[in-house]
Amino acid sequence: MSNYKVLMTDTIFPDMEIERAELATIGAELTLASGSDPKTLAREGKDCDAMIVVYAPITAEVVNSLTKCKVMVRTGIGFNNIDLEAASRKGIMVANVPDYCQDEVADHAMALFLSGVRKVAFLNNRVKSGSWDVNEAKPIPRLRGKLFGLFGLGSIGQRVAERAKAFGMDVCSYDPYMPQEVFDKLGVKRFHDFDEFLASVDFLSIHAPLTEETKHIINLQNLKKMKRTAFIVNTSRGPLVSEGDVYIALKEGIIAGAGLDVLENEPPAYPFPLAELDNIILTPHAAFYSEESEPELRRKAAQEVVRTLKDGRPKYWVNKKMMEDLGTA
């Protein structure tokens, strides 16, 4: 008989062997939910000791049905698909895996940026359609000396800063929560005013968490503050960007281009207006992936469950302060 029951709410992986191997070290049994809808998760997770969550929405309905659950681990960096307030009130710890795929996302952000600004994807499509004319791609800016802006200077943003500097660009950031010593160490110029930041940058890469404060922060009003030659990249969370407003900005030449790895709704409903534009590059939430990062993510998510059930708390406890404030920690 197993010591613990762990429910995996959903999966994008080919099996659960990595997770099972980690959980076996404490005699925990892992099962995959038969569906990722709230009613199914509420029913099948009722007596679980822990949950491993990928993309399934963990609503208050799900949380309030749980009678034994001690921890929910989001298999990824973001945790906006889990109702943190409901979990905190219930006394359930929420954890994530923030220390994986940092190089992969930084590489992907630069790949989107370079492919878009250098018009690589556009020219590739033109050559394949029978055209051999660099003039179709003009204008293409020189990168050296341009100002590369980072909205968010966390671990991934810092890696992007290093890569942008290697191309001879000056780097700046808007991040009101990051200590000044991080800016100083990286040689990144700090902006304290968001409007001034947007108006100054030549290129913008987004590396911020999704919160009520940041949702749709890249909207038409803010896009109009940017240079008409600006190019934006989002490898963070889709709802940080208003897709409808970006479509208008790209269509009307308010900004020059965009590269998006994440969308408000994934996958998008087709026909998809953004996909019709030549000045945008779209990838299917792929920035996290490499042959090495996927097993690392799965292993670390399972290890957070093991750590919590064995030692009483996860390493990356997302809602710790919220639970302390509520007196449920």
Side-chain angles (χ1 to χ4, degrees), residues 8 15 18 31 42 79 116 124 136 139 161-162 169 174 198 233 253 275 280 285 296 306 326 329:
M8 194 161 186
D15 56 47
I18 293 174
T31 58
F79 43 83
N124 172 66
E136 292 182 326
E162 295 169 351
M169 290 180 283
Y174 176 83
L198 291 177
V233 173
I280 189 169
H285 205 140
E296 177 189 13
V306 170
L326 290 168

Side-chain angles (χ1 to χ4, degrees), residues 174-205:
Y174 176 83
D175 188 331
Y177 304 104
M178 190 59 58
Q180 183 60 42
E181 51 262 34
V182 175
F183 288 81
D184 296 339
K185 180 181 177 181
L186 292 168
V188 172
K189 178 181 178 180
R190 181 168 211 158
F191 277 88
H192 294 280
D193 183 86
F194 189 59
D195 289 348
E196 183 186 2
F197 169 70
L198 291 177
S200 301
V201 301
D202 294 296
F203 315 117
L204 173 65
S205 191

Side-chain angles (χ1 to χ4, degrees), residues 50 82 120 134 150 161 170 197 243-244 280 314 320 329:
I82 298 175
V120 174
V134 67
L150 295 162
D170 298 319
F197 169 70
E243 291 170 14
I280 189 169
K320 181 175 185 290

Side-chain angles (χ1 to χ4, degrees), residues 237-253:
R237 284 291 175 265
L240 293 167
V241 173
S242 169
E243 291 170 14
D245 287 0
V246 168
Y247 177 83
I248 294 171
L250 294 174
K251 188 82 170 175
E252 297 183 2

